[in-house]
Amino acid sequence: KIIDEEQKKDSVSYPFEKLQHMTYGIRSGEVVLIKAPEKVGKTEVLRALEYHLLKTTDSNIGVIHLEEGKPRMIKGLAGYELNVPAHLPDSGVSKDDIKTAFKSLTGRDERLHIYTHFDSDDPDTIINTIRFMAGPCECKYIFFDHLSQVVSGIQDEDERRKLDYISTKLCQMVEDLGFTLFVISHVNDDGKTRGSRYIAKVADLIISLDRDILAVEETTRNTTRLLIEGNRFAGM
């Protein structure tokens, strides 16, 4: 009876072949934690995932990028569509080119929901915003970049408590509402999530990013490696 009544989770693909093979895809009701030191390109990895889901699904998507403004985010996505770095002044694309590319990418109004900052560091503000995205806005995939930014400047113990609280609430919400949450956390010098370990304990998939930003060879310097540290579904 348990097997017969099991509810199969919706699944879509990752844009990277090896990641898809090792995870069996992006499933609803799961938390994907992406761990990264500063300046390795974590936002760009998220953007690649956002672009892929916009291109391969018709689902609503919510995006919270706390370290970049809305124009930069829109130009970043349009740049994937145009195959040029549209945010650079010498990219050769016009505002109309960016608007046309963005409209083509999103496909319809009210599909992509963007937040770039919050007026409060109250954890419930973040939680309620994500609940609003997953509920009334019907976002099936939500990207949160990044968890550490929410509590920057808070004393250590208060930081840990707030991060634990946010992580607990978000994981409960993901399970209750059945969306997929991609969340980034900075790491400390030991490679552990900054401020709190709880999000790493409860995440369904943990991906660590690494890039040699000082490498002399250009290809090495511009290559980000993905290491799966936790994979609850597939175990690989």
Side-chain angles (χ1 to χ4, degrees), residues 88-103:
L88 297 180
D90 59 354
S91 64
V93 300
S94 67
K95 288 183 178 180
D96 286 340
D97 292 332
I98 292 170
K99 292 175 186 177
T100 299
F102 190 72
K103 185 175 181 179

Side-chain angles (χ1 to χ4, degrees), residues 83-185:
N83 202 30
V84 295
H87 66 289
L88 297 180
D90 59 354
S91 64
V93 300
S94 67
K95 288 183 178 180
D96 286 340
D97 292 332
I98 292 170
K99 292 175 186 177
T100 299
F102 190 72
K103 185 175 181 179
S104 172
L105 175 60
T106 53
R108 56 179 171 80
D109 290 341
E110 303 299 330
R111 184 179 176 204
L112 183 63
H113 300 262
I114 303 171
Y115 281 79
T116 54
H117 73 280
F118 295 93
D119 296 328
S120 169
D121 63 359
D122 182 352
D124 287 319
T125 301
I126 309 294
I127 293 164
N128 290 334
T129 298
I130 294 177
R131 182 180 289 111
F132 178 73
M133 284 180 162
C137 296
E138 299 181 337
C139 293
K140 195 166 183 179
Y141 307 98
I142 297 178
F143 296 82
F144 184 14
D145 178 16
H146 56 89
L147 186 63
S148 313
Q149 180 74 9
V150 177
V151 295
S152 60
I154 298 175
Q155 295 298 319
D156 288 348
E157 189 59 27
D158 288 340
E159 178 187 36
R160 184 191 62 76
R161 281 199 297 264
K162 282 197 173 186
L163 287 174
D164 286 351
Y165 175 76
I166 293 172
S167 301
T168 301
K169 291 293 185 181
L170 289 180
C171 290
Q172 291 172 348
M173 195 191 313
V174 164
E175 186 173 345
D176 291 343
L177 299 182
F179 64 99
T180 305
L181 177 66
F182 296 85
V183 58
I184 278 184
S185 175

Side-chain angles (χ1 to χ4, degrees), residues 103-104 131 187 197 202 217:
K103 185 175 181 179
S104 172
R131 182 180 289 111
V187 297
R197 308 285 178 265
V202 296
E217 203 276 316

Side-chain angles (χ1 to χ4, degrees), residues 42-53:
K42 62 187 184 323
T43 303
E44 207 56 51
V45 170
L46 274 199
R47 204 185 322 277
L49 296 172
E50 293 159 6
Y51 177 77
H52 176 73
L53 290 171

